[in-house]
Amino acid sequence: MIRTVAAGSLADVAASGTTIGTVVRWDDDRGAAVIEAPEVPGGCWADRSVVVHSTVGAGALRAGQVVEFEWTEPGDGGLPFRALRVTPREDLQATLGG
């Protein structure tokens, strides 16, 4: 978290970044996912509209899928962070026996 001193106190400034994470939940009805990664404690909301490419339909993701995502604060969907861009990383997907 980036912090700045203002009038003798510390005030939070919105943070952002890019990282690799895992989709922990996909909600078809809302067209959104929850992504977890160490850089986004508490989870990151990802709307279908920010998914760059998907092998599973029009912007749909699946639980367990590895993604690269750009995140920011404030969050959305009741989570502290929200995704600005999500790209599935097929090269990093887990495979059976591997």
Side-chain angles (χ1 to χ4, degrees):
M1 174 82 43
I2 300 169
R3 297 193 183 272
T4 183
V5 176
S9 65
L10 291 177
D12 290 342
V13 176
S16 62
T18 300
T19 192
I20 302 290
T22 303
V23 176
V24 294
R25 184 171 55 238
W26 172 257
D27 185 331
D28 272 328
D29 294 334
R30 295 176 81 180
V34 174
I35 302 172
E36 288 186 349
E39 294 81 3
V40 291
C44 182
W45 178 262
D47 184 85
R48 175 190 328 260
S49 66
V50 302
V51 178
V52 173
H53 170 266
S54 177
T55 58
V56 185
L61 298 171
R62 68 182 186 286
Q65 190 170 18
V66 177
V67 295
E68 180 176 350
F69 64 104
E70 183 180 343
W71 56 270
T72 192
E73 294 178 306
D76 197 1
L79 298 172
F81 303 93
R82 66 184 162 88
L84 300 173
R85 182 181 186 95
V86 179
T87 305
R89 290 291 305 263
E90 301 300 331
D91 58 322
L92 298 177
Q93 300 307 312
T95 58
L96 294 175

